[in-house]
Amino acid sequence: MKKLLIFALFLGLHTAVMAQESNGLEKNKAVYLELLGPSNLAGINYDARFNDHTRFGWRAGLSFAYGKNSGLFEQGFNVRGYVVPLEVNYLVGSQKNNLELGLGTGLGIYNVHETTTDLVNGPASSLTAEQQKHVIGEYQTDNGIKTMLGYRESRNTFGYYFFGNIGYRHVSNNGFLFRAGITPAFTFSKDASKKVNFQPYVAFGWAF
């Protein structure tokens, strides 16, 4: 009987402690459409707390990325790709309104269409048949006529970036989810130089 009372007391204390440690969130999971930010252009994401007793959580999704950089003489590139954003985040606030803080990475497969140019001596008529396929135009210079050639290349490549998440999250009583914030993103080029950019984001979805 004594052991039973001790067990019941322990069970009651354990239940009380667990209740006190509850994260205070009635809806711990969410699915949402995110525009810009970590999702690049647009993406579908799933978000959840690690358990019922912490405000730490994670999110994973699938998004579509697009970028374009144009220069003179048709030089430049555009990029299309599919990215998986992965993030660990933390919520600070109440049941409905929270400050959302997170760190993550985006892993993607990109298709790069790039146009490069080359300036060669002589008019287009003096070039080989293969070179004439890539003629953009002829230009008169102080050193005579030069012809601009353009070469288009398409390739697939793997890429990644790191990002932060600073935003506002609202969950209504019926489960409607709204998120908005700013994402600082960090990318590294082949020469190991770091590039930083900031992008806003907005998201709509359903919490449950």
Side-chain angles (χ1 to χ4, degrees):
M1 184 68 177
K2 184 177 180 181
K3 292 183 178 179
L4 183 61
L5 290 174
I6 292 175
F7 175 75
L9 179 61
F10 172 79
L11 182 62
L13 290 174
H14 179 72
T15 302
V17 170
M18 293 298 287
Q20 292 176 357
E21 293 180 350
S22 172
N23 60 22
L25 299 173
E26 180 181 340
K27 299 174 175 60
N28 284 324
K29 303 176 179 63
V31 176
Y32 54 82
L33 170 68
E34 183 177 63
L35 305 176
L36 304 178
S39 290
N40 290 275
L41 188 62
I44 297 293
N45 292 266
Y46 174 79
D47 176 285
R49 301 304 91 194
F50 287 118
N51 56 55
D52 294 336
H53 312 295
T54 180
R55 283 178 168 260
F56 279 101
W58 61 276
R59 73 95 165 256
L62 179 64
S63 64
F64 177 72
Y66 177 79
K68 186 175 183 180
N69 183 17
S70 299
L72 296 176
F73 307 112
E74 302 183 13
Q75 192 172 12
F77 64 88
N78 62 71
V79 180
R80 299 177 178 86
Y82 293 96
V83 180
V84 176
L86 303 171
E87 177 190 341
V88 175
N89 52 46
Y90 185 76
L91 301 180
V92 182
S94 62
Q95 177 73 246
K96 293 183 178 181
N97 302 295
N98 283 274
L99 171 66
E100 182 177 322
L101 304 172
L103 291 173
T105 183
L107 309 175
I109 298 296
Y110 301 90
N111 179 250
V112 181
H113 295 269
E114 186 173 11
T115 301
T116 58
T117 58
D118 186 22
L119 191 63
V120 298
N121 295 322
S125 59
S126 66
L127 304 181
T128 66
E130 180 61 29
Q131 287 177 316
Q132 289 180 4
K133 295 178 182 178
H134 303 281
V135 170
I136 295 177
E138 294 182 353
Y139 303 92
Q140 182 67 49
T141 70
D142 294 339
N143 297 320
I145 297 177
K146 294 182 180 294
T147 302
M148 180 72 71
L149 306 180
Y151 298 91
R152 290 180 172 83
E153 177 188 5
S154 178
R155 66 182 187 276
N156 294 320
T157 184
F158 170 79
Y160 67 93
Y161 56 89
F162 300 100
F163 64 86
N165 173 16
I166 306 171
Y168 168 73
R169 173 188 290 219
H170 172 78
V171 178
S172 66
N173 291 332
N174 63 7
F176 174 74
L177 171 70
F178 171 77
R179 299 170 61 251
I182 191 77
T183 297
F186 308 85
T187 60
F188 297 87
S189 62
K190 293 180 180 179
D191 61 359
S193 62
K194 182 172 66 175
K195 299 179 181 178
V196 183
N197 63 76
F198 294 84
Q199 189 174 38
Y201 70 83
V202 62
F204 307 91
W206 185 260
F208 53 93

